[in-house]
């Protein structure tokens, strides 16, 4: 790989919930994918594809540990595809896509821009300055990209033995970026690999073609270029059709605090913005002894002490668009009933005490 190329090898995220743990996804030096939730190392058993936590779920979307979805209950989803590069050496890199709920419109910032429908304010530096997209690549890199470099003192990333945030911060400081636009070159082999017409002007290339051309030129790695081409085409398709997945009823809770034995009944529904489309509900996970009717959307459960999860998916059957809603149940155990028996000659009193004691045992151990 060229020394001028930059790839993503590690990802970390955490919501601002006080109980939230940091999720870390890293391509290790041994070419293994390492997942952490807090300090816990995560592994998927062969028959397990979803891991549930109070604030999020982690889904394995294939059987090869190469495609994952991280979904937070606040309405943020990160999809990660793991790409195995082979040129010039074998290594794992991450292709990352992010989607957020509409309620965050106008409330985002960072390298991915501002989610407000405008393109003129996406290049906003960390201090709030807006950088012109008409500037040179070097100006954009210096005045926008570098300002979002990770602060070693607050890094959330996972570091292997012998690695430190300070080490990578120093590597970033001395890194000499290349500001030569490869699009200005004319490489027929790359044209063919990226589905670009040989006579087409670079100004007519779409996002997927430009990204593919750049990645292949800089890395000479077909796996990375193909992944970029596929991701770019998928994004263009979404933009063209403005296809949004079904929306769940806004009144559905994200969490519920219950007491043991509480009867829970929820009416779960989701609708499509396309009136003629059919939305199907399906169950991803439910608490033990709970029932869910996918036809009526009725969920019923008698609460059991502990922490439990419900995850329901909704599929637009026309476009195969899928969304999901997760609910966390925090169930408090009932306090034990303490019975004080009294001695006496009254048989009625003794009988009453005996009955209460048996009921207490039933509540405690039944």
């Amino acid at each position: 790989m060229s020394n001028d190329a930059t790839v993503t090898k590690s990802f970390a995220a955490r919501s601002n919930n006080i109980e939230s743990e940091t999720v870390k996804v890293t391509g290790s030096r041994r070419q293994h994918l390492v997942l952490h939730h807090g300090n816990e190392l995560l592994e998927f058993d062969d028959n397990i594809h979803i891991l549930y936590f109070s604030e999020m779920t982690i889904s394995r979307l294939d059987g090869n540990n190469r495609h994952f979805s991280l979904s937070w209950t606040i309405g943020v989803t990160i999809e990660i595809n793991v790409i195995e590069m082979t040129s010039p050496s074998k290594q794992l890199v991450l292709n990352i896509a992010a989607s957020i709920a509409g309620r965050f419109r106008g409330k985002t910032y960072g390298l991915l821009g501002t989610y407000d429908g405008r393109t003129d304010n996406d290049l906003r530096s960390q201090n709030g300055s807006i950088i012109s997209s008409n500037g040179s690549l070097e100006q954009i890199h210096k005045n926008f990209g570098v300002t979002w470099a990770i602060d070693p003192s607050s890094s959330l990333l996972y570091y292997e033995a012998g690695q430190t945030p300070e080490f990578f911060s120093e590597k970033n400081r001395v890194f000499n970026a290349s500001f030569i636009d490869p699009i200005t070159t004319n490489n027929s082999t790359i044209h063919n690999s990226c589905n670009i017409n040989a006579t087409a002007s670079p100004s007519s290339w779409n996002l997927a073609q430009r990204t593919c051309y750049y990645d292949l030129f800089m890395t000479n790695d077909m796996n990375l270029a193909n992944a970029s081409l596929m991701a770019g085409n998928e994004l263009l398709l979404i933009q063209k059709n403005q296809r949004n997945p079904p929306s769940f009823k806004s009144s559905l809770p994200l969490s519920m605090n219950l007491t043991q034995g509480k009867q829970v009944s929820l009416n779960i529904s989701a609708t499509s913005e396309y009136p003629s489309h059919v939305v199907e509900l399906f169950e991803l996970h439910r608490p033990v002894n709970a029932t869910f009717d996918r036809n009526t959307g009725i969920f019923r459960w008698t609460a059991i002490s502990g922490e439990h999860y419900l995850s329901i998916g909704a599929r637009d059957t026309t476009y195969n668009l899928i969304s999901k809603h997760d609910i966390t149940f925090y169930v408090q155990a009932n306090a034990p009933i303490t019975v004080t028996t009294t001695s006496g000659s009254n048989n009625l009193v003794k009988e009453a005490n005996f009955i209460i004691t048996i009921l207490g045992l039933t509540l405690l151990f039944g």
Side-chain angles (χ1 to χ4, degrees):
M1 183 174 65
S2 165
N3 290 330
D4 296 327
T6 302
V7 294
T8 302
K9 300 196 67 174
S10 187
F11 169 87
R14 183 182 65 201
S15 78
N16 59 3
N17 187 313
I18 191 172
E19 297 180 352
S20 176
E21 295 281 3
T22 301
V23 177
K24 309 168 190 177
V25 183
T26 306
S28 74
R29 288 177 295 199
R30 295 178 178 271
Q31 310 312 319
H32 295 149
L33 191 70
V34 182
L35 284 81
H36 286 90
H37 180 261
N39 294 322
E40 179 185 3
L41 178 64
L42 303 179
E43 294 183 354
F44 283 85
D45 294 334
D46 291 341
N47 60 336
I48 300 296
H49 296 282
I50 304 178
L51 301 178
Y52 295 89
F53 304 95
S54 61
E55 79 283 14
M56 68 166 306
T57 59
I58 301 177
S59 304
R60 179 174 60 177
L61 303 179
D62 68 352
N64 301 316
N65 291 330
R66 289 293 186 265
H67 192 187
F68 296 88
S69 175
L70 318 178
S71 181
W72 282 263
T73 56
I74 59 174
V76 175
T77 298
I78 304 294
E79 191 166 321
I80 298 178
N81 275 289
V82 183
I83 305 164
E84 187 174 295
M85 295 183 64
T86 57
S87 174
S89 61
K90 185 177 179 181
Q91 61 178 314
L92 299 182
V93 300
L94 308 181
N95 186 309
I96 300 173
S99 63
I100 62 175
R103 64 191 181 93
F104 291 112
R105 189 176 182 87
K107 299 179 181 179
T108 67
Y109 56 92
L111 288 175
L112 297 184
T114 306
Y115 174 36
D116 60 1
R118 296 170 53 188
T119 59
D120 59 348
N121 63 356
D122 282 337
L123 301 181
R124 187 188 299 270
S125 67
Q126 194 167 40
N127 66 11
S129 301
I130 296 177
I131 312 304
S132 172
S133 59
N134 294 323
S136 67
L137 293 177
E138 185 172 3
Q139 289 173 328
I140 293 174
H141 169 78
K142 178 181 178 181
N143 299 325
F144 169 66
V146 171
T147 69
W148 290 104
I150 295 174
D151 182 347
S153 65
S154 58
S155 174
L156 300 178
L157 297 173
Y158 166 73
Y159 298 94
E160 297 184 90
Q163 297 179 342
T164 64
E166 291 74 19
F167 168 80
F168 287 103
S169 178
E170 177 62 17
K171 295 280 283 186
N172 285 336
R173 190 186 67 81
V174 300
F175 174 70
N176 292 318
S178 171
F179 302 109
I180 299 175
D181 188 353
I183 303 299
T184 59
T185 65
N186 187 10
N187 188 311
S188 59
T189 301
I190 300 181
H191 277 79
N192 293 333
S193 300
C194 297
N195 298 330
I196 300 173
N197 190 306
T199 61
S201 168
S203 61
S204 68
W205 299 357
N206 63 33
L207 170 68
Q209 293 168 330
R210 292 178 66 87
T211 306
C212 174
Y213 192 101
Y214 181 90
D215 286 347
L216 190 52
F217 181 91
M218 299 299 290
T219 67
N220 196 34
D221 190 281
M222 277 302 304
N223 288 340
L224 179 62
N226 285 334
S228 296
L229 184 64
M230 291 177 60
N233 282 328
E234 183 177 349
L235 178 60
L236 290 171
L237 186 62
I238 292 173
Q239 291 177 337
K240 177 182 178 181
N241 296 289
Q242 290 294 295
R243 296 174 179 174
N244 295 314
S247 298
F248 281 89
K249 185 168 57 177
S250 60
S251 60
L252 285 175
L254 297 177
S255 64
M256 296 180 69
N257 294 309
L258 306 169
T259 55
Q260 182 175 333
K262 175 72 174 179
Q263 299 295 315
V264 181
S265 180
L266 297 173
N267 188 347
I268 299 173
S269 63
T271 57
S272 170
E273 63 182 37
Y274 315 102
S276 62
H277 290 195
V278 175
V279 175
E280 292 181 345
L281 298 176
F282 58 96
E283 170 192 314
L284 293 168
H285 179 81
R286 58 181 165 84
V288 175
N289 298 330
T291 62
F292 175 71
D293 188 325
R294 59 180 298 173
N295 296 315
T296 64
I298 300 299
F299 166 81
R300 289 191 173 92
W301 181 50
T302 301
I304 303 172
S305 176
E307 188 174 309
H308 306 272
Y309 309 94
L310 171 67
S311 184
I312 302 297
R315 178 187 291 108
D316 181 325
T317 58
T318 302
Y319 287 149
N320 196 34
L321 299 170
I322 296 175
S323 58
K324 70 185 184 74
H325 187 86
D326 299 329
I327 302 175
T328 304
F329 301 105
Y330 302 99
V331 184
Q332 181 71 37
N334 290 325
I337 297 177
T338 302
V339 177
T340 302
T341 61
T342 58
S343 60
S345 58
N346 191 319
N347 290 333
L348 290 177
V349 173
K350 291 182 178 179
E351 183 179 1
N353 285 332
F354 178 77
I355 293 174
I356 293 173
T357 303
I358 293 298
L359 288 175
L361 289 173
T362 301
L363 289 172
L364 286 172
F365 305 108

